[in-house]
Amino acid sequence: MCAAARQETADPNESSDFTYSRGTLLPDTAADLAKLRCAWAHIRRRREAGGPDALYVMSGLERRLSLPDGLDEDLCDDEIAAALYTDEVRELGLEHLGGDPARHDLIVVNRTTAGLLLAADVIVRPGQSVLGVSPSYSHPAVLRAVAHAGGRHCGGTPRDAWDYIRQHGAPDVIFLTRLAVTYDILDQHDIEEFVQFARAGSIPVILDDAGGGRVGPVCFGQPRSLELGVDVAVTGLDKYGVLGPRLGLLGGDATIVASIRSRAYEMGLEARQALLPAVAHSLRSYSDRAVRDRVDITQRVVRALAQRLGDDLARSNEIIGFLPAGEIMRAVKERAGTDEDFQIVPYEATAALAMVLLRDYGIMTVHFAGVPPGTADLLIKFLPPDTVARFGGPDALAEAFDRSLDRLGDILPDREATRKLLFDPAC
């Protein structure tokens, strides 16, 4: 977060977008991608040896291409799918976002990040001030979107935002995040206050509702995205209760969406229309119950982890669990019986834990789904109940985490061994 009086233009190529230190083993996105290739090698090896049952997707995300049974493959063509599914997807998507077909429109883009980028590109003008409001801090994708548009981003909690307004006056644009990367929720009262403030001053409001588009209404009884009165809202079709694929759903004021659609096609950021049958299937199949079930099993897993690892290491809020990166480092040092510096940063310890869980147990955490991750912590969120059961249940997962931390006690004290773990699939 930046302090209320601080303004900055985020550099989309700098790691300063993050709230955590990147270290020297994983200093940038290129290193994250190299780490991901090592993870893919472990995935291939496990699948070749044990088939699909050797892998456990526990990222909390749905990134499959799920199509209705019996779908004619000829329909998965850009032109044909666009002709047959555009209207249905618009209707289903606006219903999902709480939009009004008389005032709002919708476009499917190739990622949530693409939707944020497009919204900023169309709404933010070079040199304008953009106030990010979040329960904790704006996702790096928001900072990069503002930077790409030439804006000056300052953000933080609602309190930080009001301090900024008192010191500097009204911003040109407000960028709300309902559910932060920390999985804290923005209070409904705060959302209403900022939207009302924006309306009084004719200030455009963009809503980053990547996961909040479902978690807010289902878990906290809040209105749906466009019912909040924002100009544009972006959510992800790989998050919580939907079936995927990994696309972004952008809805909002019809005039603004028309400009965003044009920009998307110019920049190649629109979703391929051949995927529209999958989008329609995903939206038709959406279930509030699926969100609640995932929250429930996640909390059960976190309780098992806390019982096995301790409350300091396994923490939770109302919806997810997480292992703080600093506590992962501390726990490994305890198991290694040393206070010496590992010559890595906590984020790299998290990456190492995620790699051991994948290599040794086939557990695919969200650490390998978000590149680069928005947090240094290892998140445990929206776990699929059937996958947890197939692994053996919450206690079996807790045992796998415990043993993986033990293994890191032999690896992290040796910087070269840590490097090989992250980048060499033979290790």
Side-chain angles (χ1 to χ4, degrees), residues 58 106 133 153 158 162 167 181 189 194 204 269 310 318 368 377 396 413:
M58 297 193 192
L106 177 130
V133 185
H153 181 278
W162 288 122
Q167 292 183 36
V181 70
H189 176 72
F194 280 102
L269 295 176
E318 295 177 82
F368 293 116
D377 302 335

Side-chain angles (χ1 to χ4, degrees), residues 99-182:
D100 177 359
R103 298 187 296 117
H104 296 130
D105 203 356
L106 177 130
I107 178 175
V108 184
V109 293
N110 64 18
R111 277 179 60 185
T112 302
T113 298
L116 299 175
L117 184 73
L118 289 162
D121 248 19
V122 167
I123 293 174
V124 178
R125 297 287 174 264
Q128 285 190 327
S129 59
V130 181
L131 183 61
V133 185
S134 162
S136 53
Y137 55 89
S138 299
H139 194 281
V142 171
L143 273 66
R144 295 191 190 103
V146 172
H148 188 267
R152 295 175 291 112
H153 181 278
C154 183
T157 65
R159 181 177 178 178
D160 294 332
W162 288 122
D163 285 347
Y164 172 90
I165 290 169
R166 281 190 288 271
Q167 292 183 36
H168 299 281
D172 295 301
V173 179
I174 293 177
F175 221 128
L176 294 176
T177 297
R178 175 159 36 183
L179 188 69
V181 70
T182 56

Side-chain angles (χ1 to χ4, degrees), residues 66-81:
S66 182
L67 294 166
D69 292 339
L71 182 74
D72 186 343
E73 289 185 4
D74 288 343
L75 298 183
C76 294
D77 172 271
D78 274 358
E79 280 66 49
I80 295 174

Side-chain angles (χ1 to χ4, degrees), residues 74 102 134 147 230 274 278 282 288 309 329 386 404 411:
D74 288 343
S134 162
V230 301
S282 184
D288 287 353
L309 306 176
M329 183 87 88
D386 56 340
S404 296
I411 297 172

